[in-house]
Amino acid sequence: MSSTVIIGLLAAIAAPVFGRPGTQQVAAYDAVPSLSVPACPQLGSIKYSQSVPDKSPFPETQVDLCYDDTSLKIDFTAYDEQYFYFNSSHQMNDPIYEYEVMECFVYRGTEDPQTYLEFEVSPNNVTWHAFIYNPSKVRASGAVFDRFFITDPALDGISAATTLDKTNKIWKSSISLPLGFFNVDNGAANGTQWRMNFFRTITSPEIFPNQTLGAWSPPDQANFHMSPFFGHIQFV
Ligand SMILES: *[C@@H]1O[C@H](CO)[C@@H](O)[C@H](O)[C@H]1NC(C)=O
Ligand SMILES: *[C@@H]1O[C@H](CO)[C@@H](O)[C@H](O)[C@H]1NC(C)=O
Ligand SMILES: *[C@@H]1O[C@H](CO)[C@@H](O)[C@H](O)[C@H]1NC(C)=O
Ligand SMILES: *[C@@H]1O[C@H](CO)[C@@H](O)[C@H](O)[C@H]1NC(C)=O
């Protein structure tokens, strides 16, 4: 192979990476974490304890995932939870993210997505769920940013369950999402590749509306909607 061809090939391979806006995103893309997720009842597990964006210590947070023929199961566990702080007036799809939530952002594919599912749950088991359209991939100021709410989660096969253990400062929420949301047909999940990120917000009556933010793959701004930071996940 001539050197001209090799340079041409390298340029073609490198273009999608170096074509990204902003050098920080290129670095983040190379560094994002990955995880293999097995079929249930086995679990793929991560723990994170870094804040967004400065990666300072953050209360440990665990996420366990597995898949079956029709659904993706995600268990969120918040350790060292001191406040269990939520707004008791909030109902489904109200701004629960202003208080304490655990969240997943989920996309099936390998690219940095423009469209992905955002799912949140609060300590009183209220949920927030929408498909996001974020064509700038970083929720750039002035760019389009839209959301399409899921208004009947039970109909779609979404479930959630929450238990609080205030003595031991643990909050656990378990959710199930239909694989059909991501165009994975029944029984066809093995081998699929995903981009996801997981987040937790902490606030209290004393510091509200300020929050401390944590993530599995911390973005470099206090902004969860930066899909180049989503980690890589394989179903195995
Ligand atoms: C709780 O939410 C309701 C409805 O969004 C809002 O009117 C109220 O001010 C909130 N309460 C607090 C303490 O922020
Ligand atoms: C949590 O909410 C779901 C509906 O989203 C419901 O099915 C479940 O029973 C609720 N309660 C608890 C304690 O998890
Ligand atoms: C929220 O954070 C801002 C900026 O750090 C600070 O000035 C303000 O006092 C904080 N508010 C509360 C209620 O802690
Ligand atoms: C998924 O596919 C791989 C490769 O074919 C296989 O080794 C593995 O056992 C499969 N997993 C399940 C749960 O069937």
Side-chain angles (χ1 to χ4, degrees):
M1 204 186 274
S2 80
S3 59
T4 316
V5 173
I6 292 168
I7 290 164
L9 262 176
L10 285 174
I13 293 164
V17 175
F18 294 112
R20 280 161 212 283
T23 50
Q24 285 174 309
Q25 286 168 41
V26 173
Y29 177 84
D30 294 336
V32 297
S34 40
L35 175 73
S36 291
V37 170
C40 304
Q42 288 188 280
L43 296 169
S45 297
I46 54 167
K47 283 185 177 175
Y48 61 83
S49 50
Q50 288 189 317
S51 74
V52 179
D54 53 327
K55 303 189 182 181
S56 58
F58 183 85
E60 188 165 76
T61 311
Q62 184 169 335
V63 186
D64 300 299
L65 302 98
C66 68
Y67 68 86
D68 64 18
D69 281 350
T70 58
S71 60
L72 166 59
K73 315 279 188 198
I74 304 179
D75 288 354
F76 301 100
T77 307
Y79 295 102
D80 200 19
E81 175 56 57
Q82 298 185 59
Y83 311 110
F84 303 92
Y85 193 45
F86 56 86
N87 179 330
S88 55
S89 304
H90 281 168
Q91 298 183 2
M92 183 178 70
N93 291 337
D94 281 340
I96 60 173
Y97 46 79
E98 294 173 357
Y99 293 79
E100 294 197 299
V101 289
M102 289 190 281
E103 312 187 3
C104 56
F105 287 24
V106 181
Y107 167 70
R108 205 251 304 177
T110 56
E111 313 91 329
D112 302 340
Q114 301 182 41
T115 293
Y116 45 89
L117 177 73
E118 176 175 356
F119 191 106
E120 307 179 3
V121 59
S122 68
N124 62 334
N125 194 44
V126 172
T127 57
W128 188 104
H129 18 68
F131 281 92
I132 304 298
Y133 180 47
N134 175 15
S136 75
K137 304 187 180 185
V138 294
R139 198 177 189 170
S141 112
V144 169
F145 182 83
D146 204 359
R147 18 193 214 189
F148 309 96
F149 282 104
I150 295 161
T151 55
D152 191 347
L155 175 75
D156 296 342
I158 292 178
S159 64
T162 298
T163 53
L164 306 183
D165 175 356
K166 291 193 171 173
T167 308
N168 293 305
K169 299 185 175 172
I170 296 170
W171 153 31
K172 183 165 186 171
S173 290
S174 301
I175 68 167
S176 179
L177 304 172
L179 287 172
F181 267 4
F182 310 99
N183 293 302
V184 177
D185 291 339
N186 288 358
N190 192 1
T192 54
Q193 294 182 286
W194 302 71
R195 300 292 299 277
M196 300 188 199
N197 208 350
F198 304 99
F199 304 101
R200 173 177 170 190
T201 66
I202 294 177
T203 185
S204 67
E206 289 70 38
I207 72 160
F208 184 85
N210 292 351
Q211 288 175 311
T212 308
L213 310 175
W216 176 42
S217 179
D220 62 0
Q221 298 170 21
N223 170 6
F224 291 171
H225 289 274
M226 303 183 80
S227 73
F229 289 87
F230 291 12
H232 290 267
I233 293 188
Q234 307 83 36
F235 286 7
V236 294

